[in-house]
Amino acid sequence: MRSPKLAALELKRFGRGKLPRAALVALLLLPLLYGALYLWSFWDPYGKLDRIPVALVNDDKGATVSGKKIAAGDEITGKLHDSDVFEWHEVSADEARRGVEDGAYYLSLSMPSDFSERIASSSGDVPETSALQVRTNDANNYIVGQISKTVFSEVRTAASKNASRSFLDRIFISFSDIHDATQTAAKGADDIKGGIGKAKKGSGDLKSGLGKAKDGSKSLADGLQNAKKGSGDLAAGLKRLNKGSGDLRTGSQQVADGTQKLADTVNGIAGTVRPYLKDNGKTIGDTAKLVADSTRIVRENLGTLVKTAPVLAEGSREAADELHTVYQARCVDQPLPDPACPQLKKADKAAADTALISADVNNLVKNQRGDLTQLDKDLAQLQTKARELSVRAPHLDEDLSSAVSKVNALNTGANKVARGAAKLDTGLTDAKTGAVNLDRGIGRLNNGAADLDGGVGRLKNGAGELNGGLIKLVDGSGELATGLHKGVTKIPDYDKNDRDQRTEVMADPVQLASQSMHKAPNYGTGFAPYFIPLSLWVGAMVGYMLIQPLNRRALSAGASAWRIAVAGWLPVAAIGVLQVGILMSVLHWSLGLKMEHAAGTIGFLALVTGCFAAIVQWLNARFGAAGRILVLAVLMLQLTSAGGTYPVQTSPGFFNAIHPFLPMTYVVEGLRRLITGGGLEPVWTGSLVLLAFTAGALALTAVSARRKQVWTLDRLHPELSL
C-alpha cells in the first residue's frame, strides 16, 4: 500500500466518533492558542498606554524672565494630557507616593516648585539644571517602568529644548546688540577722526596765536617795566608834595591861629593898644616878616603841585591804556584765552585805578584851579600885607586905625589859607596812597608779565607737541574707524526670523532622522514571526500525540521504511497546512496582520509545518515516550536561540553557538522579510535549510522505521509510556 493511502487510513480514524472528531478539530485550532490568541493579547500594547494610570504632580510655581511669565510645569502638563501616553491623574506629592507604593498608580512624574525658575536660569547669569522627578515600582510592573524611561526621556528632551531656545535667543539678541553698538562705534570713530582733524587745524592756529602772544607778552613786560618806573616817580613826587602840603597845612594853621589871636588881641585892646604898639612895634614887625616868608614858601609848593599833577595823570593814563590794550588782545579778542588772563585782568584793573586816582588829583588841582589861584592871590596879598606890616610895624601906633582893619583882613585871609591847605593836604594824602598802590600793582603786573611771558613760551612748545600728537591721533582714529567698519561686517545681525530658525537648530542641533525601511505597524506584527512558528511546532507536537509517528499496520506488513516514514509524516503535515490556513486567516482578518508577501508567507509556512512535522515525527519514532520530552526541549532551545525577541547577540554564548543549527532561526528571519518586507535572501536560504531538515528528519525516521520492524523485549514492555 502506498504512503498516501496509509496516511488517509490514519486520518480516517478521526471520523469514527464524536471524540476523535473533536480531537481533530482541537488539533486544528491548537495553534490559535499559541499564535493568534497570544499575539492578540499584546497585539498593540503601546497603542493602549493611555489606559495605564500614572500620577502627575505639578508643584511648579512658575517664573518671570524679562517681564514674561514662564510656566513650564503647566505647559508640560497640558501637553501630557493631550498626548496618548498614560492615563494622567493630577495629585499631590503625598498621594503620588502612596499610589505608586500600593499599586494605584504604576509610576509618578513630578515637577518641583522651582522647575520653571531653573529652566529660566539658562538665559541668566547663573544657569541651573532642573529635574523631572520619576518614581517607579517594579513590584507593580517592570515593563511599564522601562516604557516610562523612553516616554519621560522625550519629555525631558522637549523641556531642555525649550530652555535652550530661551538661552540661545538671548545670545543671538546680544549678537545683534553688539553689531548695532559696533556700528555706532564705527560712526563715532569717523566723527572722532573728523573732530581730531579740526583739532589739528585748530592746534596750528593755536601755535601761531601763541607765537603772537609770546611777542605781545614781551611787549607787555617791557611796557610794564616803564610803567613801573613812572609809577615810582609819581609816588615819590606825590610823597614830596604830601610832605610839603603837610607843612603848608601846619604852617597855615599856625598862621591862622596867630592872626586870629592877633586880631582878637588887636580888636580887644584897640583902645589900649597904642601904647602897646608903640612899645612892641619891632616884635610886630618881626612877626609880619615871618608870615610873609611862610606865605612865599607855600606859594612855591603850590606852583609845583599845579605843574606836576597833569604830567603824572597823563603818564598813569598812558600806562593804563597800554596795559588794557594788551589785556584786550590776549584775553578778549583771541579764540583761545591766554592762560595768564587772570593776572592781566588784575593788572589792568590796578592800572585803571591808579590812572583814576592820578586823574582825580589832577582834577582836584584843575577843578580847584580857581581856588588855588584865589589862594595864591590871597597868599600874595598876605605876603604883601605882611611885608607892609613889617615895614610899618614901628609906626603902628600911628597907623592904629589902619592897622586894626588890616589885622582883621590878615586874620580873614589866614583862615582861608588854612582851610585850603587842609583840603589840599587831604587830597595829596589820598593821591599818595593811590600812587603807592599803583606802584605796587604795577610791580605785581611786572612780575605777572614775566610769568606770562614764560608761560606763553611753554604753551607754544606744548602747542607744537600737541600738533604732533594730533597727527598721530588722526592716523590712529583712522585705523580705529577702519577696523570697526570691518568688524561690523563680521558681527552677525539677526532679525526675529533668523533668531527663531537658528535657535531651533542650536537648541536641537542633532535630530534623529529615524527612517524605518520596512516598519512593523504594531507590536503584534513585529512578534508574529516568532509566535507563528511556535504555534506550528506545538501543533505538530500535539499532532503526534494523537497520530502515530509510524503506522503499525505498515510496520507489521513489512512495508518499505521510506513508505512508512512518509505515511506517518503526511497526516500531520496535511493538518499543519490546514493549521496554517486557519491561523493566518484569523491573524489577517481578525487581528489585522498585514503581510508584504501574503502568498509567499503561506507557502513558506507550509514548508515550515512540514519540516516541524518531520522533526517531531523522528523524535517520537526514535525515542518513543522520551521523544515527547525531547520535542519540548528542542522547542525551548529554539525559542531561546532564534532571536525572536531580543537580538541573539545579547544572549549568552551557548545560545549564540546553537543559533545557526536550529530550523526556527531561519523560520523567524524568513517570516520577518515576508511579513514586513525587505530582501528575500533569508527566505530562500531558510527554504533550503527547511528542506534539508525535512529530508534529513524523514531519512532518520525511515531508519527508525526499519528498526521498528524488528520486535524486541523493550518494545513489548517499554520502560516509559506516555
Side-chain angles (χ1 to χ4, degrees):
M1 186 179 292
R2 296 183 179 278
S3 297
K5 291 184 178 181
L6 289 174
L9 290 174
E10 186 67 27
L11 291 175
K12 286 181 180 180
R13 292 191 304 108
F14 291 96
R16 297 175 182 174
K18 294 181 179 180
L19 189 60
R21 292 192 187 98
L24 181 60
V25 172
L27 179 61
L28 291 174
L29 298 179
L30 184 62
L32 292 176
L33 298 176
Y34 287 89
L37 189 63
Y38 194 72
L39 285 175
W40 183 28
S41 67
F42 59 89
W43 182 253
D44 190 13
Y46 284 97
K48 305 296 189 297
L49 291 178
D50 57 344
R51 300 177 183 177
I52 298 177
V54 174
L56 177 61
V57 181
N58 181 15
D59 291 334
D60 183 28
K61 296 180 179 179
T64 301
V65 179
S66 300
K68 182 179 179 182
K69 181 69 175 178
I70 296 177
D74 294 340
E75 182 179 353
I76 292 177
T77 298
K79 291 182 178 180
L80 290 176
H81 280 301
D82 294 337
S83 67
D84 295 330
V85 180
F86 299 144
E87 179 183 306
W88 299 99
H89 297 267
E90 289 193 57
V91 296
S92 66
D94 292 337
E95 290 175 327
R97 180 181 55 78
R98 289 194 300 269
V100 174
E101 180 67 27
D102 59 27
Y105 305 114
Y106 282 95
L107 49 93
S108 67
L109 172 65
S110 301
M111 288 167 281
S113 59
D114 59 349
F115 186 65
S116 293
E117 183 178 349
R118 287 176 173 267
I119 288 179
S121 70
S122 64
S123 60
D125 297 330
V126 185
E128 298 179 283
T129 58
S130 186
L132 293 169
Q133 300 170 356
V134 179
R135 179 181 283 111
T136 60
N137 186 354
D138 289 346
N140 294 334
N141 191 288
Y142 175 77
I143 296 298
V144 172
Q146 299 304 307
I147 294 174
S148 69
K149 292 181 180 180
T150 301
V151 174
F152 293 153
S153 177
E154 294 178 357
V155 174
R156 182 198 66 80
T157 301
S160 300
K161 187 176 179 181
N162 289 337
S164 299
R165 282 198 190 99
S166 176
F167 177 70
L168 293 169
D169 191 57
R170 285 193 60 185
I171 290 178
F172 289 130
I173 290 175
S174 298
F175 273 134
S176 297
D177 293 341
I178 293 173
H179 178 277
D180 295 340
T182 306
Q183 191 173 41
T184 302
K187 182 178 179 182
D190 290 333
D191 295 339
I192 291 173
K193 181 180 178 182
I196 294 174
K198 294 179 180 179
K200 179 177 177 295
K201 181 180 178 182
S203 69
D205 296 338
L206 173 63
K207 183 177 180 182
S208 176
L210 288 174
K212 295 179 180 179
K214 182 71 171 62
D215 297 337
S217 64
K218 183 66 171 60
S219 300
L220 173 63
D222 295 340
L224 287 175
Q225 186 67 32
N226 296 332
K228 178 69 171 62
K229 184 176 182 302
S231 66
D233 295 340
L234 174 62
L238 287 175
K239 183 177 181 181
R240 291 193 297 271
L241 283 175
N242 181 250
K243 183 177 183 302
S245 67
D247 295 341
L248 174 62
R249 181 177 183 178
T250 301
S252 63
Q253 187 61 47
Q254 291 175 353
V255 170
D257 292 341
T259 57
Q260 183 64 45
K261 290 180 181 179
L262 177 61
D264 291 341
T265 301
V266 170
N267 289 321
I269 60 173
T272 60
V273 77
R274 185 180 298 275
Y276 175 79
L277 292 175
K278 185 178 179 180
D279 295 336
N280 296 286
K282 186 178 183 302
T283 301
I284 293 172
D286 293 338
T287 301
K289 185 179 180 182
L290 177 61
V291 171
D293 293 338
S294 298
T295 301
R296 179 180 56 79
I297 295 171
V298 170
R299 289 184 66 192
E300 291 176 355
N301 289 331
L302 185 62
T304 302
L305 175 62
V306 172
K307 294 178 181 179
T308 306
V311 176
L312 293 176
E314 181 64 24
S316 61
R317 180 71 267 168
E318 291 178 354
D321 290 343
E322 184 177 357
L323 183 59
H324 183 71
T325 300
V326 174
Y327 169 77
Q328 185 73 20
R330 298 297 178 269
C331 301
V332 178
D333 297 337
Q334 287 294 329
L336 296 176
D338 196 306
C341 280
Q343 290 82 356
L344 285 174
K345 186 175 181 180
K346 292 180 181 179
D348 181 63
K349 186 176 183 305
D353 292 341
T354 302
L356 183 61
I357 293 172
S358 299
D360 289 341
V361 173
N362 184 47
N363 289 335
L364 176 63
V365 173
K366 183 177 180 181
N367 292 335
Q368 299 295 326
R369 176 91 28 113
D371 294 337
L372 292 176
T373 302
Q374 185 61 40
L375 177 61
D376 184 67
K377 291 180 181 179
D378 292 340
L379 289 174
Q381 290 179 2
L382 178 61
Q383 182 180 1
T384 302
K385 296 297 183 181
R387 288 190 179 280
E388 290 178 354
L389 179 59
S390 65
V391 173
R392 294 296 301 172
H395 306 286
L396 287 178
D397 58 334
E398 299 175 357
D399 301 322
L400 178 59
S401 298
S402 176
V404 170
S405 61
K406 291 181 179 179
V407 167
N408 288 331
L410 176 62
N411 181 50
T412 301
N415 284 320
K416 291 181 179 180
V417 170
R419 288 194 295 273
K423 291 181 180 180
L424 177 62
D425 184 58
T426 301
L428 288 175
T429 299
D430 293 339
K432 175 188 173 186
T433 303
V436 172
N437 292 335
L438 173 62
D439 185 62
R440 292 175 180 173
I442 292 177
R444 289 193 293 270
L445 284 176
N446 190 33
N447 294 333
D451 295 338
L452 173 64
D453 185 59
V456 170
R458 290 192 294 273
L459 282 175
K460 183 178 179 182
N461 295 333
E465 295 176 357
L466 173 63
N467 189 50
L470 287 174
I471 293 174
K472 296 179 181 179
L473 190 56
V474 167
D475 297 337
S477 63
E479 294 176 0
L480 173 62
T482 301
L484 287 173
H485 281 295
K486 291 181 180 178
V488 169
T489 61
K490 296 180 180 179
I491 298 175
D493 183 18
Y494 303 112
D495 58 18
K496 187 177 185 305
N497 292 333
D498 287 337
R499 289 200 306 271
D500 291 343
Q501 181 181 2
R502 293 175 183 273
T503 299
E504 181 72 23
V505 173
M506 293 190 69
D508 191 15
V510 179
Q511 294 185 345
L512 181 62
S514 178
Q515 180 180 3
S516 180
M517 297 178 64
H518 303 285
K519 184 178 180 180
N522 49 49
Y523 200 77
T525 301
F527 276 92
Y530 181 61
F531 289 107
I532 289 175
L534 166 63
S535 64
L536 295 179
W537 182 276
V538 172
M541 180 181 69
V542 175
Y544 280 108
M545 290 181 181
L546 299 177
I547 299 175
Q548 294 294 325
L550 298 176
N551 189 283
R552 293 180 180 178
R553 180 181 298 181
L555 287 174
S556 301
S560 169
W562 272 103
R563 185 179 298 174
I564 296 172
V566 172
W569 171 74
L570 281 176
V572 177
I575 293 173
V577 171
L578 293 176
Q579 290 174 336
V580 169
I582 296 172
L583 174 63
M584 298 309 293
S585 296
V586 172
L587 291 179
H588 177 69
W589 299 110
S590 297
L591 298 184
L593 177 65
K594 296 180 180 180
M595 295 167 283
E596 188 72 20
H597 305 282
T601 302
I602 300 300
F604 186 72
L605 289 177
L607 180 60
V608 170
T609 191
C611 176
F612 287 175
I615 295 174
V616 173
Q617 179 192 19
W618 171 68
L619 291 173
N620 281 275
R622 174 63 181 86
F623 299 103
R628 298 177 182 178
I629 299 176
L630 291 176
V631 169
L632 288 175
V634 173
L635 175 62
M636 292 300 102
L637 290 175
Q638 292 189 108
L639 292 177
T640 54
S641 62
T645 53
Y646 293 98
V648 70
Q649 290 81 1
T650 62
S651 301
F654 169 76
F655 300 102
N656 280 270
I658 65 175
H659 171 74
F661 304 105
L662 296 174
M664 191 175 288
T665 297
Y666 302 93
V667 175
V668 171
E669 292 179 359
L671 285 177
R672 283 173 176 166
R673 300 300 179 93
L674 289 168
I675 293 175
T676 60
L680 298 179
E681 293 82 1
V683 177
W684 301 118
T685 302
S687 298
L688 294 176
V689 171
L690 292 175
L691 288 174
F693 267 102
T694 302
L698 287 175
L700 292 173
T701 302
V703 173
S704 298
R706 183 178 296 278
R707 294 178 60 186
K708 293 291 184 179
Q709 288 177 333
V710 178
W711 288 88
T712 63
L713 186 62
D714 291 337
R715 288 185 61 196
L716 293 174
H717 301 284
E719 295 180 1
L720 179 63
S721 177
L722 295 177

